[in-house]
Amino acid sequence: MFDRTNFTKKIAAGAAAVIGLTSLCGCSKLPFNPLTPSAPNFDSTYKVAAEIVYDDLAAKADVTRKGASEWVFSFTEPKQLNGVTMSLGTDGWSAKLGELSFNVGDNDVYTLIPEVIGASIDQLPALTGESLSSEDGVLTADTEFDGKKVTVTANERSGDLISLKCPFHKLSVNFTGQQPYTPFDPEQGGLVTEE
């Protein structure tokens, strides 16, 4: 005779074992585990501080992601870049120093840095499977820029950026203090400014 209670207990025990085993495996560096909380929303807008090392150049910038392919880099270091604001968007590049605007070439070292950072991070929302792995609360994503490998790390739960590395371009970036970015709304009062 079929014992429904016993059968239900066996199913529950089996399911608990599978979930427990999956949880244990999720701690190791395996492809992103779909049973963990959903991947963070990388398609958000935010501001974050960046410490950038590019070959022999060390720089600092406040980076704003205004949306997909819409980036602003406000450099504070080194001295020759202090006050320079570079914007990358659908219309291309623009650069300013105070009220002075100037042209920047696509292959210039100062445009390459934001391009690698922006383009690599803009790929994160579409990544799945083998491109993502998780260990100790850090999500590692493998992307690329012009066919060259770029590795981005972020907080697995919040999506806050931690680092970006592109060995081919000798580029390394550490991110700190990520905060949501909300553009000024003229209907809420205050001045509307362009960054």
Side-chain angles (χ1 to χ4, degrees), residues 82-105:
N82 186 20
V84 172
T85 299
M86 298 183 74
S87 299
L88 172 63
T90 53
D91 295 332
W93 279 105
S94 66
K96 291 182 179 180
L97 177 59
E99 295 299 314
L100 177 65
S101 295
F102 51 95
N103 292 327
V104 288

Side-chain angles (χ1 to χ4, degrees), residues 51-59 113 169-174:
E51 292 186 7
I52 302 164
V53 176
Y54 178 80
D55 202 4
D56 292 331
L57 172 72
I113 293 169
H169 290 294
K170 300 178 183 175
L171 175 65
S172 176
V173 185
N174 289 320

